[in-house]
Structure formats: C-alpha cells, structure tokens
C-alpha cells in the first residue's frame, strides 16, 4: 500500500516503475545477505573489516556493470554541491548503515533485523510527509499501520519488544 501510494489500481495491475523494481530486488538481496551474514560470520571476524569488504565488493560489482553495459559517468555534469552529496551518501551514510546492519544481524539475528526493515517504506513516506513532499491518503495510512503491526507481531513473537 505504501509503495503503490495507496492507489488500488496500481496495486492490482502491479504497475511498478524502475525504482520500485530496484527496491524489490534490494529487499530480496538484503534478506539473502542477512541470512548469509548470520551463518558465515565467525567470532574472530572484525566487523569493520566485514563492512569494508562488503563496500569494496559493491564497488567491484558496480564497476563491472559500468564496463559491461558501457555506461558513461559524465563527471563533468556533477556540480560541487552534488559531489558533496555523493561523498556523504557513498561514504558516511553507507558506511554507518552497513556497520549497523551487520552488527544488528550478528547480534539480533536476521529475523529481527528483517522485521525492522519492513518499516523502511513507512519511514520514507513519513519523512516525505513531514518535509512537505508527500501527501498521505487513507490507503497509505492503512499500509503504514499494517507494516507497523506486522513488525510488532514479528518482534513480539520473538519476545524482543
């Protein structure tokens, strides 16, 4: 309901734009990563090394896709302000998010981390609403409530609220 902006027709027709498809692929990738992280992590592994290697692996995959699909980077079109945003998103936000995600997966377990992940679309809509970029309709509000309820049920079932 949140992803389809409360539009029942879009939901029934499963009308997804490129961003929605990427988001769904990211959800599946994060679920798989979370499960693998729990099972392949060893006690003597340094978490910061795992975060660095994860980000470095991402750089390798993105570089390969740029080469394979022959995508021009157009660095000359990026202004100073946009370049600072890119640095912030690619280094600081990604590094902190990756560290917290991996630490949470190791200590909380993949089920609990995935329960919190379900709140991501809700958080994005609420932030957009508070910043004046998005309006929330009745169906979106219903989707937000269902997401929150599902998260609380998953966490309560594991007795970790």
């Amino acid at each position: 309901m949140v992803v389809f902006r409360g539009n029942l027709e879009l939901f029934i027709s499963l009308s997804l734009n490129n961003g929605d498809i990427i988001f769904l692929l990211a959800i599946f990738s994060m679920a798989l990563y979370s499960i693998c992280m729990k099972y392949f992590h060893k006690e003597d592994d340094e978490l910061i090394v795992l975060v660095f290697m994860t980000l470095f692996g991402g750089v390798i995959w993105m570089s390969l896709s740029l080469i394979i699909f022959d995508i021009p980077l157009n660095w000359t079109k990026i202004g100073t302000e946009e370049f600072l945003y890119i640095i912030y998103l690619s280094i600081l936000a990604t590094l902190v998010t990756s560290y917290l995600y991996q630490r949470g997966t190791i200590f909380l377990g993949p089920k609990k981390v995935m329960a919190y992940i379900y709140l991501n679309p809700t958080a994005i809509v609420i932030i957009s609403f508070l910043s004046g970029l998005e309006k929330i309709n009745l169906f979106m509000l219903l989707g937000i409530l269902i997401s929150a309820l599902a998260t609380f049920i998953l966490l309560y079932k594991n007795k970790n609220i």
Side-chain angles (χ1 to χ4, degrees), residues 109-120 147-148 150-155 158:
K111 290 178 189 174
K112 294 173 202 141
V113 172
M114 286 293 107
Y116 288 116
I117 294 292
Y118 291 131
L119 293 177
N120 282 351
S147 295
T151 300
F152 287 123
I153 289 171
L154 287 170
L155 293 174
N158 291 318

Side-chain angles (χ1 to χ4, degrees), residues 15-152:
S15 177
L16 299 172
N17 62 32
N18 289 341
D20 294 334
I21 293 170
I22 291 170
F23 180 73
L24 289 174
L25 288 173
I27 289 172
F28 288 120
S29 298
M30 287 177 72
L32 182 62
Y33 177 78
S34 180
I35 293 167
C36 291
M37 182 72 197
K38 180 69 175 176
Y39 292 109
F40 293 127
H41 174 11
K42 297 178 179 72
E43 291 296 322
D44 58 342
D45 289 343
E46 288 290 326
L47 194 56
I48 196 70
V49 174
L50 291 173
V51 170
F52 175 76
M53 292 310 293
T54 301
L55 296 177
F56 186 69
V59 167
I60 291 171
W61 283 112
M62 284 188 264
S63 298
L64 283 174
S65 66
L66 285 172
I67 293 168
I68 291 170
F69 295 115
D70 194 28
I71 301 170
L73 290 177
N74 297 325
W75 288 105
T76 56
K77 294 182 179 180
I78 299 175
T80 305
E81 187 175 354
E82 289 84 9
F83 192 71
L84 292 175
Y85 293 150
I86 290 171
I87 290 172
Y88 165 74
L89 285 173
S90 63
I91 296 173
L92 184 64
T94 304
L95 186 65
V96 171
T97 303
S98 297
Y99 179 79
L100 291 174
Y101 185 77
Q102 288 184 6
R103 185 168 177 87
T105 300
I106 291 166
F107 293 108
L108 295 176
K111 290 178 189 174
K112 294 173 202 141
V113 172
M114 286 293 107
Y116 288 116
I117 294 292
Y118 291 131
L119 293 177
N120 282 351
T122 299
I124 291 168
V125 168
I126 290 172
I127 290 169
S128 296
F129 174 74
L130 293 175
S131 63
L133 299 173
E134 184 83 36
K135 295 192 187 282
I136 298 178
N137 62 33
L138 182 62
F139 288 110
M140 289 174 74
L141 186 60
L142 183 62
I144 289 170
L145 292 174
I146 290 171
S147 295
L149 182 64
T151 300
F152 287 123

